[in-house]
Amino acid sequence: MRQGTTRHKSENEVLSFKSRMWFRGIITAHVFLAHLTLQGAYAFSISRDSIWIESHSSMRGWGVDVGQCSSAKGHTKQSRAGCGERPPFFNRKWYLSSGVTKEVHAPQPGEGMVLLVFNQRNARLLLHKVFPLGHYWFFWSDFQWYIKNIAPGRLVVLTISVSGTLGLRHTTAMLAKLGSVLAQHLTLQAHWSWIFIKGGRTISETAVVTNLNNIQQHSALPLCSLSELGLGNSSSIEQSRWQYCATEGAMGELCDEHSPLPLPVPFPPSLGSEAATALANIPVILTAGSRHQYLRHTLTVLLSTPGIQLVDLFVILGDAPPPTIKLLYLLNVSYTILPVSGNYNNKLFTYYRNVYEYVAENFAKAPAVIFLDEDVEVSPDFFSYMSQTLWLLKADPSIYCINAFSATGFRELSYHPSRLFRGSVQVEWGYAISLNFIKEALSIWPKESHGIKVILYDYFLYTFVSKERECVFPEVGRSFHYGAGTNTMANLITMERAFLNKTLLQDFGVKLSNVDRLSLAHWKEELQHNISQATVLVGNPCKDNLVTESLNSTQGHSLLVFYHHLDTTEENGIEVPDVTQYYHLYSCFGAWSLSEQGQHKGVGILSLATNVTLYIVGVPYSPYSNLKPNWVPLWDVNSIPEEEFIIVDDNMLHRGEFTVHVPNLNMTTTRLISKLSGL
Ligand SMILES: *[C@@H]1O[C@H](CO)[C@@H](O)[C@H](O)[C@H]1NC(C)=O
Ligand SMILES: *[C@@H]1O[C@H](CO)[C@@H](O)[C@H](O)[C@H]1NC(C)=O
Ligand SMILES: *[C@@H]1O[C@H](CO)[C@@H](O)[C@H](O)[C@H]1NC(C)=O
Ligand SMILES: *[C@@H]1O[C@H](CO)[C@@H](O)[C@H](O)[C@H]1NC(C)=O
Ligand SMILES: *[C@@H]1O[C@H](CO)[C@@H](O)[C@H](O)[C@H]1NC(C)=O
């Protein structure tokens, strides 16, 4: 370790763990005080194919440096000089920002949890990604996803740049399972570095937990001496696979040497002839670009989904870097590249227009088209769901899309895999539309995004093309939007809620109930009937007993209705229900509250339990307003007494979902040492 990077005063102790149980599959942690880190000699002798690796974690940034140990000298000294020259390909080094920042703050670009993945045979850098885990919401999921998809055997470095523990949340349990001794105990201001073999031993783990000090660690290790896979007499596809994998860091089972994904991907079970007929000639368009790690996951799941027809699957690339193209070659999926230009949402706006145009030209006769994105995982029931609902696009002109994503399907509001809804909603992550709708969209979709008020393409379609039409969506989702992309940063808590706190159905072949009753006339009639039969709730919706008391008094009646005041307001020149009048109300039920999406004409439908459905009716906005009995008072968030509003605003029933829990608030070095040593 170099001078000056770690001070060895008692209040600045560094905890360091080094595993000496090489190649035994057992990770034993030895607790050293700081000064022992420096002197701890290694229990192996460095051979020709050994490397040294240094990591650095501080308020200033981070650094990782790797070099080859010289072959001549056998030694145990952990210094750069002792390890000899670096060949050029090892010469990678990063440092961030100049000035020293003293306080932990929300991470700037490049700050957070730094992940590096190296090839265990040649120390080549395969993946370098920084997760902004100084943010509490959302990114833990992406971090977890990447860690999971690193192949066993890879050399991995995690190190914190500035701050990156707040957003770790329950991923620390996964890190502990992978062998980290310290991850679960890190404080907000901790600096930490962990060098390990995925699925194997820790090379070195070091942290400071109670102050903003730097850490720097230096380790040496032998490279893996097993030869690359795919050599010798394996098939050409296997050779291509392992060649590809030798350059990739997070490709999941595709590059897992111990249980590799079979290629070609085995065919999933069939859904039967009825489904096949319903899905015949329906192209499945997968839009993708440079996030090939996501694309690998999305595609391998899709290829294993019952009902997939390979001949109908088309990948349309905007960006088309070599790792994406090679992946598609390995998976034997055909693709088209469309030109893209611009940045961020401007780019996406014109890209999706080009995709629609391409589809209109190339699949003009298709009965409908299914669209997916590279970071959308489908449920095994995806095609079964589509096969039972697609006919509605043609049969009911008041329906413009079939979504696989559930607009309302939060974990505690989704119970019935066979239940469907219709409502005002945009096309959402795994959707089907008709060619007519595509043409309609293209007729008003500007070629340039310049001067456009609504630049998110799906929201643009919703606002300006859908008109009064609605979409069908399931109560329990048939797709899951797992990736982090261009718009993730905008509002992390909303992203977490809208995408991650949703269920994804794991069964397939679910028979949907009463699909024909989704057509507008039937739906209206049934809804009218249900609302008029429902038990009316009166009182403060944010009090726990409102629902439970009325369930008691109605003895098993499963339909409830709540009436509230709702007017319209103008947005983008269009009349919409006023979000300020229902935001709190929906929040109190743990439902989507930021827009009217998912509602049907001012009626929110919530599954509160397997046998309880709540209708929330906005009066006078909703055409169902006339069902409100005269004696029922209209709840209005703007006119309830202050003491009632305090209860509403507190949202005790669902507040926990939005509360930040700071980890290890009382952790000190002494506590940690006694905890780890079992004293
Ligand atoms: C690749 O897919 C095509 C059809 O899309 C098929 O004809 C061919 O056999 C496949 N190749 C392999 C190696 O599976
Ligand atoms: C009406 O209520 C029944 C159960 O009583 C339920 O199965 C059905 O889905 C409801 N329909 C609507 C449109 O909410
Ligand atoms: C509902 O009924 C159960 C038993 O029937 C009772 O224990 C409970 O207190 C009642 N809840 C309310 C809110 O009245
Ligand atoms: C709903 O079902 C649960 C058990 O599944 C039961 O305890 C409860 O009383 C039922 N509620 C109604 C309103 O039927
Ligand atoms: C989402 O789910 C996680 C895990 O269950 C939970 O901790 C978190 O509070 C939820 N977040 C929101 C915004 O609902």
Side-chain angles (χ1 to χ4, degrees):
M1 188 167 297
R2 281 184 279 166
Q3 294 301 309
T5 50
T6 309
R7 282 176 291 149
H8 304 135
K9 295 193 197 129
S10 61
E11 75 272 23
N12 292 344
E13 284 147 327
V14 174
L15 294 168
S16 191
F17 297 85
K18 290 178 192 292
S19 164
R20 295 182 176 188
M21 305 299 282
W22 303 99
F23 304 121
R24 297 237 181 104
I26 309 165
I27 292 159
T28 348
H30 297 268
V31 182
F32 295 98
L33 287 183
H35 57 285
L36 285 179
T37 315
L38 281 171
Q39 292 157 7
Y42 287 81
F44 68 97
S45 64
I46 295 167
S47 73
R48 181 179 236 314
D49 295 319
S50 292
I51 57 165
W52 54 262
I53 182 160
E54 265 180 26
S55 68
H56 165 82
S57 165
S58 78
M59 280 311 285
R60 272 184 55 234
W62 63 286
V64 169
D65 207 358
V66 180
Q68 193 162 33
C69 296
S70 75
S71 53
K73 312 158 202 159
H75 56 77
T76 54
K77 235 169 139 191
Q78 310 306 310
S79 71
R80 175 172 302 172
C83 273
E85 293 303 307
R86 282 176 285 171
F89 71 93
F90 283 126
N91 193 6
R92 299 177 193 280
K93 192 160 190 164
W94 302 267
Y95 281 99
L96 256 187
S97 69
S98 42
V100 176
T101 325
K102 278 287 176 229
E103 274 160 38
V104 173
H105 58 86
Q108 312 292 319
E111 299 178 359
M113 184 64 73
V114 181
L115 164 69
L116 294 107
V117 181
F118 296 90
N119 186 316
Q120 64 271 37
R121 295 186 172 90
N122 55 21
R124 175 180 175 158
L125 178 69
L126 306 178
L127 179 70
H128 157 210
K129 214 172 148 56
V130 185
F131 299 86
L133 294 186
H135 288 293
Y136 188 75
W137 303 103
F138 190 86
F139 283 103
W140 58 266
S141 159
D142 199 36
F143 175 66
Q144 178 169 277
W145 188 91
Y146 269 91
I147 298 283
K148 273 190 186 155
N149 282 286
I150 297 169
R154 290 288 191 227
L155 172 64
V156 184
V157 180
L158 288 172
T159 191
I160 291 170
S161 169
V162 184
S163 75
T165 58
L166 178 63
L168 274 175
R169 292 168 58 182
H170 51 277
T171 65
T172 56
M174 174 193 64
L175 297 175
K177 245 180 152 170
L178 287 172
S180 165
V181 177
L182 296 171
Q184 286 186 301
H185 308 290
L186 299 174
T187 57
L188 198 54
Q189 63 273 49
H191 286 113
W192 174 65
S193 259
W194 182 32
I195 304 175
F196 65 106
I197 303 295
K198 171 86 188 283
R201 60 190 160 86
T202 287
I203 306 299
S204 167
E205 182 172 14
T206 304
V208 275
V209 294
T210 49
N211 54 53
L212 298 174
N213 249 8
N214 301 342
I215 57 164
Q216 173 117 4
Q217 63 177 338
H218 181 114
S219 303
L221 68 150
L223 290 171
C224 174
S225 56
L226 298 174
S227 56
E228 297 276 356
L229 290 185
L231 301 173
N233 51 9
S234 54
S235 70
S236 84
I237 190 78
E238 287 303 318
Q239 286 183 25
S240 310
R241 178 219 296 257
W242 298 114
Q243 245 169 34
Y244 183 62
C245 289
T247 64
E248 288 296 334
M251 283 305 207
E253 52 185 343
L254 180 68
C255 295
D256 182 336
E257 296 178 8
H258 305 278
S259 52
L261 177 78
L263 289 179
V265 179
F267 226 66
S270 146
L271 287 175
S273 61
E274 209 173 311
T277 309
L279 294 167
N281 305 316
I282 309 267
V284 178
I285 305 291
L286 176 53
T287 50
S290 55
R291 298 178 298 169
H292 62 285
Q293 291 93 353
Y294 291 162
L295 181 60
R296 192 278 313 162
H297 177 69
T298 294
L299 262 178
T300 49
V301 170
L302 191 63
L303 292 172
S304 321
T305 303
I308 179 77
Q309 296 295 324
L310 272 182
V311 289
D312 294 325
L313 176 60
F314 302 92
V315 173
I316 302 190
L317 299 175
D319 296 314
T324 300
I325 302 292
K326 284 184 196 155
L327 172 70
L328 293 169
Y329 165 78
L330 282 175
L331 294 175
N332 193 24
V333 173
S334 55
Y335 63 89
T336 304
I337 302 173
L338 296 182
V340 281
S341 59
N343 280 312
Y344 305 109
N345 284 318
N346 293 299
K347 175 172 165 181
L348 293 175
F349 188 79
T350 47
Y351 166 62
Y352 282 109
R353 190 190 189 284
N354 291 344
V355 171
Y356 273 39
E357 205 154 47
Y358 178 86
V359 169
E361 279 167 20
N362 289 278
F363 305 99
K365 298 240 163 65
V369 185
I370 292 174
F371 288 90
L372 280 164
D373 283 319
E374 70 189 351
D375 59 352
V376 173
E377 176 177 334
V378 297
S379 152
D381 197 53
F382 182 81
F383 289 109
S384 169
Y385 166 82
M386 286 292 178
S387 74
Q388 296 171 70
T389 49
L390 282 173
W391 62 273
L392 285 164
L393 286 176
K394 195 162 180 202
D396 186 345
S398 72
I399 290 172
Y400 81 95
C401 87
I402 310 285
N403 284 343
F405 191 81
S406 175
T408 57
F410 296 104
R411 280 195 209 124
E412 285 172 12
L413 294 171
S414 57
Y415 299 93
H416 312 100
S418 65
R419 188 173 188 182
L420 304 175
F421 298 114
R422 57 175 293 158
S424 299
V425 70
Q426 64 185 42
V427 292
E428 290 190 314
W429 307 285
Y431 63 90
I433 49 181
S434 68
L435 258 298
N436 281 341
F437 184 77
I438 292 175
K439 284 180 206 142
E440 228 180 289
L442 287 170
S443 72
I444 63 163
W445 196 329
K447 288 208 161 97
E448 301 285 326
S449 61
H450 184 72
I452 300 295
K453 266 199 210 147
V454 176
I455 198 161
L456 303 174
Y457 92 98
D458 41 12
Y459 194 54
F460 170 85
L461 296 177
Y462 175 65
T463 309
F464 301 114
V465 189
S466 77
K467 312 240 161 59
E468 293 285 284
R469 288 171 288 189
E470 297 184 318
C471 297
V472 170
F473 57 90
E475 180 173 317
V476 183
R478 267 42 170 206
S479 68
F480 189 78
H481 182 267
Y482 64 90
T486 301
N487 295 302
T488 306
M489 264 303 188
N491 187 345
L492 292 176
I493 189 166
T494 302
M495 292 298 151
E496 172 161 335
R497 191 146 180 77
F499 299 142
L500 305 182
N501 288 54
K502 292 281 177 75
T503 46
L504 178 69
L505 187 70
Q506 294 304 337
D507 289 342
F508 75 91
V510 172
K511 168 115 182 61
L512 302 175
S513 57
N514 305 321
V515 183
D516 54 329
R517 284 204 239 144
L518 284 159
S519 62
L520 193 57
H522 285 134
W523 184 259
K524 272 182 175 163
E525 196 183 285
E526 189 173 309
L527 196 55
Q528 213 149 6
H529 174 81
N530 282 13
I531 293 175
S532 58
Q533 299 296 303
T535 303
V536 181
L537 299 182
V538 176
N540 190 333
C542 304
K543 280 189 182 153
D544 189 22
N545 57 6
L546 185 76
V547 168
T548 46
E549 264 170 22
S550 46
L551 284 178
N552 268 11
S553 67
T554 56
Q555 294 171 354
H557 205 312
S558 62
L559 302 176
L560 304 171
V561 57
F562 186 77
Y563 293 99
H564 73 110
H565 189 187
L566 182 61
D567 303 305
T568 54
T569 181
E570 203 211 276
E571 220 179 84
N572 303 309
I574 287 170
E575 298 264 289
V576 294
D578 185 351
V579 64
T580 64
Q581 291 175 309
Y582 62 80
Y583 167 76
H584 289 93
L585 174 56
Y586 282 76
S587 298
C588 285
F589 287 108
W592 178 248
S593 56
L594 297 182
S595 75
E596 77 287 356
Q597 291 206 28
Q599 297 174 25
H600 163 78
K601 314 250 179 250
V603 180
I605 307 180
L606 309 183
S607 271
L608 296 183
T610 48
N611 48 7
V612 184
T613 299
L614 168 68
Y615 299 96
I616 298 178
V617 183
V619 180
Y621 173 79
S622 175
Y624 300 87
S625 296
N626 62 339
L627 297 173
K628 183 180 90 62
N630 281 332
W631 63 267
V632 175
L634 202 54
W635 189 80
D636 185 345
V637 71
N638 292 317
S639 61
I640 51 175
E642 187 58 21
E643 62 270 23
E644 288 292 309
F645 181 72
I646 290 171
I647 296 171
V648 170
D649 200 33
D650 265 0
N651 189 14
M652 287 314 282
L653 298 178
H654 291 276
R655 160 183 228 128
E657 290 156 22
F658 302 94
T659 311
V660 171
H661 301 280
V662 180
N664 301 313
L665 273 175
N666 299 320
M667 190 55 71
T668 61
T669 309
T670 321
R671 279 209 187 104
L672 183 48
I673 289 176
S674 61
K675 195 167 191 150
L676 294 173
S677 52
L679 299 176

